[in-house]
Every structure is written in structure tokens, then in C-alpha cells.
Amino acid sequence: MALVFAIIAGMVIGGGVVGFQLSRRWKNEVETAKQDMQQVLEQHQREVEQTKELQQKVADLEYQLGSAQKDLNYYRNQNQ
């Protein structure tokens, strides 16, 4: 009877230790994944900001082009 109790106790203790180790490993993996996701989020935010800046530059250049075309048309019409 004591042998059966010792075997069961060993299995319970062993299962607890394995569970604890797996829990720690899982928590480490989750923390690593959180850090990776945070880095991805920060990179995405930088790229969104850069995209906004580039869109603004495009809008500015399009405005300048339109203004230059109007000026060119004006000067062409004056010479006729």
C-alpha cells in the first residue's frame, strides 16, 4: 500500500513540476511574443507616419505642378 501511495505521490509531484516548468516556459514565450508584437506595432506606426508625410509631399508637389501649369498657360496666352 505504501508503494502505491509513493508511486501516486511521485506522479503528482512530477506532474506538478512539469506543469510548473511548462507554465514558466509558456509565460516566457508569451512575453517574447508581446515584445515582438510591440516592435511590429512601433514599426507600423513609423511607416504610417512616413506614408502620411509622403502623401503630404505628393499633395504639395501636385499643387506646385498645377500652379506652374497655370502660370505656363497664362504666359502662353499672353504671347498670342
Side-chain angles (χ1 to χ4, degrees):
M1 185 70 173
L3 181 62
V4 173
F5 179 74
I7 291 173
I8 292 174
M11 290 174 64
V12 169
I13 292 172
V17 170
V18 168
F20 178 72
Q21 290 293 335
L22 290 176
S23 176
R24 284 182 47 206
R25 187 177 298 168
W26 181 78
K27 286 179 182 178
N28 287 337
E29 290 296 323
V30 168
E31 190 60 36
T32 301
K34 281 182 182 179
Q35 290 172 356
D36 291 344
M37 290 302 293
Q38 184 65 32
Q39 290 175 353
V40 168
L41 176 63
E42 290 170 359
Q43 180 180 359
H44 174 70
Q45 289 173 339
R46 284 191 303 268
E47 289 175 355
V48 165
E49 186 63 32
Q50 187 178 29
T51 299
K52 287 179 183 178
E53 290 172 4
L54 290 174
Q55 288 174 338
Q56 184 61 47
K57 285 182 182 179
V58 167
D60 291 344
L61 290 173
E62 287 175 344
Y63 177 80
Q64 290 174 6
L65 177 61
S67 179
Q69 286 175 335
K70 288 178 187 176
D71 291 344
L72 181 61
N73 287 336
Y74 173 77
Y75 291 123
R76 281 183 182 164
N77 290 334
Q78 273 194 346
N79 290 333
Q80 289 181 358

